[in-house]
């Protein structure tokens, strides 16, 4: 089984999960492109670790550039939700709001959902072990129906 080489000018690397036409690459195609980078590095006499480090640095720079562009766009697009009253000027800077650490944050909601899943499966386990439902364990009589039997 031979190693396929990437076509000249093709995007190759960890961030290249789509082709230039926007089609997603399959896992085997992504692996083949990584192998092509390795083969190309070996053919050119480059150290594979140096090529990987260069690609990682390119990716870090790409993420930093995108983050800076996003922050600049947020600052440029800042428009107050209500117009200022007469005699009051428009704010020149966006107010800084520190990230939430308490209350309805994404982290708190994630832990809440995890606790709910643990509780649900614990209830199923208790019902499996005891052979009774939750209401029967609490003391309510269930299973008699509502009296609508035909």
């Amino acid at each position: 089984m031979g190693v396929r080489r990437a076509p000249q000018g093709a995007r190759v690397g960890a961030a290249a999960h789509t082709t230039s036409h926007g089609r997603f690459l399959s896992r085997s195609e992504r692996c083949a492109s990584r192998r092509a980078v390795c083969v190309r590095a070996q053919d050119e006499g480059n150290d594979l670790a140096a090529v990987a480090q260069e690609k990682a640095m390119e990716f870090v720079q790409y993420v930093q550039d995108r983050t800076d562009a996003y922050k600049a766009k947020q600052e440029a697009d800042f428009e107050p939700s209500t117009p200022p009253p007469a005699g009051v000027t428009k704010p020149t800077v966006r107010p800084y709001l520190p990230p939430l650490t308490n209350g309805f944050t994404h982290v708190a909601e994630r832990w809440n959902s995890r606790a709910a899943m643990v509780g649900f499966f614990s209830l199923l386990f208790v019902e499996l072990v005891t052979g009774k439902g939750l209401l029967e364990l609490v003391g309510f009589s269930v299973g008699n129906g509502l009296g609508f039997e035909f």
Side-chain angles (χ1 to χ4, degrees):
M1 176 182 222
V3 176
R4 294 187 328 182
R5 294 180 188 266
Q8 195 67 13
R11 291 179 16 187
V12 180
H17 292 294
T18 60
T19 64
S20 60
H21 303 293
R23 183 180 70 84
F24 282 100
L25 297 174
S26 68
R27 184 176 180 152
S28 62
E29 289 172 323
R30 288 195 312 265
C31 292
S33 66
R34 289 188 198 114
R35 284 191 297 269
V37 169
C38 296
V39 169
R40 189 179 318 146
Q42 291 170 352
D43 289 347
E44 295 174 0
N46 295 336
D47 182 25
L48 187 58
V51 172
Q53 184 177 9
E54 178 185 337
K55 290 289 183 186
M57 293 304 293
E58 287 176 10
F59 180 72
V60 167
Q61 186 62 42
Y62 170 76
V63 170
Q64 286 175 346
D65 292 344
R66 291 291 301 249
T67 303
D68 293 341
Y70 177 76
K71 287 180 180 178
K73 183 179 182 313
Q74 288 291 321
E75 288 295 325
D77 290 344
F78 174 65
E79 188 66 32
S81 59
T82 59
V88 177
T89 60
K90 182 175 145 182
T92 57
V93 294
R94 186 179 191 145
Y96 171 74
L97 300 174
L100 296 175
T101 56
N102 296 326
F104 292 105
T105 63
H106 293 288
V107 174
E109 292 302 314
R110 185 164 291 145
W111 278 106
N112 185 20
S113 63
R114 289 175 181 164
M117 287 185 275
V118 168
F120 177 75
F121 286 108
S122 299
L123 176 64
L124 288 180
F125 178 73
V126 167
E127 289 183 1
L128 177 72
V129 169
T130 61
K132 296 181 179 181
L134 175 67
L135 294 176
E136 289 178 313
L137 289 172
V138 175
F140 291 104
S141 176
V142 294
N144 298 333
L146 299 174
F148 293 117
E149 292 83 17
F150 294 107

